Amino acid sequence: MGEKAFQDYYPDELSHCYGCGRLNEQGLKIKSYWDKEESVCIHEPKSHYTAVPGYAYGGLIASLIDCHSTGTAAAAKYRLENREMDTLPPIRFLTASLHVDYLLPTPLGGPIEVRARVKEIKGRKVVVEAWLIAGGNVCAKGEVVAVQVPEDMMLSLLKK
């Protein structure tokens, strides 16, 4: 994918998240992009994310759904406001609620695709539904309620 990922627009001060922070050396460094009205993230996890041999542990699955969904919430809010993702003040979201249903064991050893769609945008709240696909199967579904970081808090974080 040639375009910049949602996470590539995050200011350096806000790029340390374990799941999506490009500056976190031990993190997952996920990348999310628009695919029409859905967002997509392709991630190939390392073998140390094992639950039982050959399968991913649930925390990885939840992290992928969580960070992809909060990134999707931010990108959707920029779209709604008809703004480019590199305009100020930056729009970022934190997780208020994360619900994951594990449907099938998620195989390791290949790419995992996470897709998401915005269900609702209401003020500072965005509800995102997501599904995780591996080996051609939907292995998990999730819903994230993401809340926009207030502008005054965002500005104080950028000053640190």
Side-chain angles (χ1 to χ4, degrees), residues 42-160:
I42 307 293
H43 183 77
E44 188 144 355
K46 295 179 173 57
S47 62
H48 62 263
Y49 291 104
T50 297
V52 296
Y55 295 94
Y57 91 104
L60 171 68
I61 294 162
S63 291
L64 291 172
I65 289 172
D66 183 20
C67 280
H68 178 63
S69 295
T70 56
T72 299
K77 190 71 180 243
Y78 276 107
R79 268 188 172 181
L80 181 71
E81 294 183 5
N82 200 26
R83 291 176 49 196
E84 296 295 322
M85 289 192 70
D86 58 355
T87 59
L88 296 175
I91 298 173
R92 295 296 171 266
F93 281 79
L94 298 173
T95 306
S97 172
L98 169 64
H99 178 87
V100 179
D101 290 318
Y102 299 91
L103 307 173
L104 293 170
T106 301
L108 289 170
I112 291 175
E113 178 178 1
V114 184
R115 290 196 157 265
R117 183 177 15 231
V118 174
K119 285 178 64 174
E120 173 187 1
I121 299 178
K122 189 173 186 176
R124 292 180 40 241
K125 178 180 88 170
V126 178
V127 180
V128 178
E129 62 183 348
W131 53 102
L132 183 141
I133 304 160
N137 296 306
V138 175
C139 298
K141 290 184 179 182
E143 182 172 278
V144 172
V145 176
V147 177
Q148 187 174 348
V149 176
E151 191 173 330
D152 60 336
M153 182 180 171
M154 182 64 62
L155 292 173
S156 72
L157 290 170
L158 292 173
K159 290 179 185 176
K160 290 186 178 186

Side-chain angles (χ1 to χ4, degrees), residues 28-41:
L28 300 173
K29 298 183 182 181
I30 71 161
K31 302 287 187 183
S32 305
Y33 305 87
W34 283 121
D35 181 12
K36 299 181 180 102
E37 295 306 309
E38 294 178 357
S39 60
V40 63
C41 166

